[in-house]
Amino acid sequence: MNKKSSSAFAFNSGDFVVYPAHGVGKIADIAKQKIAGSELELIVVNFDKDKMTLRIPMAKAENKISGADTMNDALSVLKGKAKVKKIMWSRRAQEYENKINSGSPVAIAEVVRDLYRSENLAEQSYSERQIYEQALDRLANEVAVCENISSADATKKLLDILAK
């Protein structure tokens, strides 16, 4: 969730949201809690896959899930040609991590596109594979929620686009 006024957004239990550093989560509750002498309204978000719960102040919440236009942009990025910079892997890995943690489906799609290897190409290093799988999983989860399909179906859809 990005920083903006929450007044324009209505959050309800059961809604899906994207937290940039952790991906898609489900709102479990909207709660009030007294912290450091002041009462805050918090969104309680569960990330079942990571077995994690976050409490995010309502004032820091921006939006729920990316819209269809953003997801279409992300899917069109997957159809493009990989753009791998000729810099050291450690610097590229850091850039990829920053893109994944940005929460932007388009930026995450760039990471997936750049690190995708078809089965007949050379092997990836362990760290490349880890970053690729993290980005693919994050993007697939958001596509699944957007299109109301299973995460496995969303992953298959993304891989089909990449294979073309």
Side-chain angles (χ1 to χ4, degrees):
M1 290 184 234
N2 299 321
K3 298 165 195 91
K4 268 195 186 170
S5 168
S6 64
S7 59
F9 302 101
F11 294 97
N12 300 306
S13 292
D15 287 350
F16 287 96
V17 294
V18 175
Y19 190 79
H22 301 291
V24 176
K26 190 172 190 176
I27 296 177
D29 194 17
I30 307 291
K32 291 189 181 201
Q33 190 171 358
K34 197 165 191 158
I35 300 173
S38 61
E39 192 168 289
L40 288 176
E41 190 171 18
L42 302 171
I43 303 170
V44 181
V45 182
N46 287 332
F47 298 89
D48 291 334
K49 187 172 185 175
D50 298 331
K51 296 181 176 83
M52 177 177 62
T53 300
L54 287 180
R55 286 171 175 73
I56 300 128
M58 185 70 84
K60 298 285 184 184
E62 182 187 285
N63 55 16
K64 296 179 186 179
I65 261 325
S66 298
D69 290 342
T70 304
M71 291 312 296
N72 287 336
D73 290 346
L75 295 178
S76 67
V77 163
L78 293 178
K79 296 174 185 173
K81 192 172 194 270
K83 298 174 184 167
V84 179
K85 296 178 183 173
K86 301 291 183 200
I87 57 176
M88 290 178 55
W89 166 246
S90 60
R91 180 157 300 169
R92 277 191 298 142
Q94 189 174 19
E95 287 179 7
Y96 291 148
E97 290 287 345
N98 289 339
K99 285 182 177 184
I100 292 169
N101 290 332
S102 73
S104 164
V106 174
I108 296 169
E110 290 172 1
V111 174
V112 172
R113 176 199 66 203
D114 292 350
L115 292 178
Y116 171 75
R117 302 281 184 272
S118 64
E119 293 180 21
N120 59 356
L121 289 178
E123 290 288 315
Q124 286 179 307
S125 71
Y126 178 77
S127 58
E128 277 183 310
R129 188 80 187 153
Q130 292 297 105
I131 293 172
Y132 167 74
E133 288 176 358
Q134 180 185 12
L136 182 64
D137 185 56
R138 188 80 53 90
L139 187 60
N141 285 336
E142 195 158 351
V143 168
V145 170
C146 263
E147 297 185 5
N148 202 19
I149 58 177
S150 73
S151 188
D153 289 342
T155 301
K156 183 181 180 328
K157 177 179 180 169
L158 295 176
L159 292 174
D160 288 346
I161 291 171
L162 287 165
K164 289 181 183 175

